[in-house]
């Protein structure tokens, strides 16, 4: 099976789309698929996350009709993009095209059928039409009616956190002991942290004594130097991208982070979390997680101040019962085996179409 993954990543777009696509790509490759990525040349650091494992078909950073790189939801000129993908493929067809991009919709997807037999869409907005055989939305906001008028009748839908696309290590169960005193705080705001939340959290942590702090900053974080300097001054640990996030989450007692893809990583390890939304599309899911008791949600980044973060930190540090409850509830939502379920669904559709067993 030949698979093409169409996804972009940059400081403005973030790395969440890419990270979940990489997790799915690894699962497919393990099952014998040949996987390539098609990405715009927006951020070398993001491309470097893919190239050690998968070939990348490099697409233009700019199209003639664009003036500047947009944010995650900015529309991509669909015809220019399709032509660029087709040129990169060199006329070679693929069995599946997996697209994870807020800037592409059914128009692009219908055109992609010229080089792809089948399409899978990864989405979490339910705000535009799709032309796909398979759709995955791993968020709590996903439900049976969310895409009712947005996908064709034959499209199979994989909805909810049980389909969260996480690396294999997040599916390995390890007992957590949230009742013990808080000894370690993990701070991580994804690959970019465009709103500068990491520095706000470090300011709030200055009033918390006797606790080790570890910051994991992504490769696209524009404030990396300031973060590293602050951590050096305080004797805290700062890492610039890591490959063992699951282990670090299991070592931590509480976390402070954003409401994107990392939400499901923290949940799968049962890590009690203080969440700050750094984009509009994170708000609804973050609120639902909080309503179900799986995390503390402070609001959108622009509204969250250092004192608010400091109060939340102290509350979580001092309330062992709350940490226990959050650990149990979050783990029930996400067991870390979403990639397995998604791959099974994709291969089942492929088998039905090709007549293979």
């Amino acid at each position: 099976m030949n698979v093409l993954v169409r996804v972009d990543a940059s400081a403005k777009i973030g790395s969440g789309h890419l990270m979940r696509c990489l997790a799915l790509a690894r699962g497919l490759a393990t099952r014998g698929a040949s996987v390539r990525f098609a990405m715009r040349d927006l951020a070398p650091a993001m491309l470097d996350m893919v190239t050690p494992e998968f070939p990348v078909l490099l697409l233009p950073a700019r199209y003639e009709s664009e003036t500047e790189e947009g944010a995650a939801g900015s529309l991509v000129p669909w015809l220019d993009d399709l032509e660029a993908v087709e040129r990169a493929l060199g006329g070679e067809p693929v069995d599946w095209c997996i697209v994870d991009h807020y800037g592409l919709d059914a128009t692009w997807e219908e055109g992609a059928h010229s080089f792809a037999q089948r399409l899978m869409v990864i989405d979490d907005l339910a705000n535009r039409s799709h032309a796909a055989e398979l759709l995955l939305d791993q968020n709590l906001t996903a439900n049976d009616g969310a895409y009712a008028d947005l996908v064709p009748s034959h499209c199979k839908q994989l909805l909810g956190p049980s389909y969260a696309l996480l690396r294999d290590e997040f599916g390995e169960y390890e007992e957590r002991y949230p009742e013990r005193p808080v000894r370690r705080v993990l701070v991580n705001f994804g690959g970019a942290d465009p709103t500068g939340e990491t520095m706000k959290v470090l300011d709030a942590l200055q009033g918390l004594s006797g606790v080790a702090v570890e910051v994991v900053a992504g490769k696209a974080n524009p404030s990396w130097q300031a973060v590293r300097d602050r951590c050096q001054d305080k004797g805290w640990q700062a890492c610039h991208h890591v490959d063992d996030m699951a282990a670090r989450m299991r070592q931590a007692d509480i976390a402070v982070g954003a409401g994107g893809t990392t939400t499901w990583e923290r949940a799968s390890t049962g890590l009690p979390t203080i969440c700050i939304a750094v984009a509009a599309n994170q708000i609804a899911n973050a609120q639902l997680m909080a309503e179900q008791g799986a995390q503390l949600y402070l609001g959108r980044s622009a509204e969250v101040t250092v004192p608010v973060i400091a109060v939340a930190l102290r509350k979580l540090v001092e309330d062992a019962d709350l940490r226990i409850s959050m650990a149990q509830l979050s783990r029930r939502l996400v067991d870390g085996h979403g990639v397995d379920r998604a791959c099974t669904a994709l291969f089942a559709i492929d088998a039905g179409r090709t007549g293979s067993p």
Side-chain angles (χ1 to χ4, degrees), residues 187 193 196-200 202-203 206 213-218 221-241:
V187 181
D193 187 16
E197 299 310 297
T198 301
M199 289 301 294
K200 286 163 60 175
L202 294 182
D203 287 341
Q206 291 191 99
V213 176
E214 179 180 20
V215 177
V216 177
N221 190 315
S223 303
W224 165 246
Q225 189 64 49
V227 168
R228 186 177 65 175
D229 291 346
R230 173 67 62 84
C231 289
Q232 286 178 343
D233 290 343
K234 299 295 294 183
W236 296 335
Q237 184 178 0
C239 305
H240 198 190
H241 184 70

Side-chain angles (χ1 to χ4, degrees), residues 324-336:
I324 292 170
S325 176
M326 290 171 68
Q328 293 173 342
L329 291 169
S330 61
R331 175 68 191 181
R332 287 175 195 167
L333 286 173
V334 185
D335 63 5

Side-chain angles (χ1 to χ4, degrees), residues 139-270:
N139 287 298
L140 281 170
T141 51
N143 56 63
D144 292 339
Y147 293 92
D149 299 322
L150 300 177
V151 297
S153 58
H154 65 269
C155 179
K156 181 174 178 58
Q157 300 179 45
L158 310 178
L159 306 177
S162 65
Y163 293 102
L165 300 174
L166 306 178
R167 298 189 300 277
D168 286 346
E169 56 264 35
F170 288 99
E172 300 169 2
Y173 178 74
E174 186 172 315
E175 189 67 36
R176 174 175 290 280
Y177 302 98
E179 69 275 9
R180 75 181 187 186
V182 172
R183 302 166 185 164
R184 192 173 190 85
V185 178
L186 176 66
V187 181
N188 171 247
F189 281 88
D193 187 16
T195 60
E197 299 310 297
T198 301
M199 289 301 294
K200 286 163 60 175
V201 174
L202 294 182
D203 287 341
L205 282 164
Q206 291 191 99
L208 205 61
S209 60
V211 175
V213 176
E214 179 180 20
V215 177
V216 177
K219 287 187 175 182
N221 190 315
S223 303
W224 165 246
Q225 189 64 49
V227 168
R228 186 177 65 175
D229 291 346
R230 173 67 62 84
C231 289
Q232 286 178 343
D233 290 343
K234 299 295 294 183
W236 296 335
Q237 184 178 0
C239 305
H240 198 190
H241 184 70
V242 298
D243 296 319
D244 60 345
M245 183 61 87
R248 293 170 189 265
M249 287 183 174
R250 292 187 177 102
Q251 292 167 2
D253 297 299
I254 62 175
V256 188
T261 300
T262 315
T263 296
W264 311 123
E265 296 178 349
R266 298 186 301 252
S268 73
T269 60

Side-chain angles (χ1 to χ4, degrees), residues 69-135:
E69 176 202 338
S74 297
L75 293 178
V76 174
W78 66 271
L79 187 56
D80 291 340
D81 195 77
L82 273 177
E83 291 175 348
V85 173
E86 290 178 325
R87 283 195 301 270
L89 283 170
E92 179 187 354
V94 298
D95 298 307
W96 279 90
C97 178
I98 299 172
V99 56
D100 187 349
H101 205 301
Y102 293 158
L104 301 174
D105 60 12
T107 306
W108 186 97
E109 294 156 19
E110 287 168 356
H113 278 103
S114 65
F115 58 79
Q117 291 187 38
R118 290 167 287 280
L119 258 75
M120 174 181 178
V121 170
I122 303 172
D123 193 14
D124 41 31
L125 297 181
N127 67 346
R128 63 201 188 283
S129 298
H130 294 294
E133 284 79 7
L134 183 62
L135 178 139

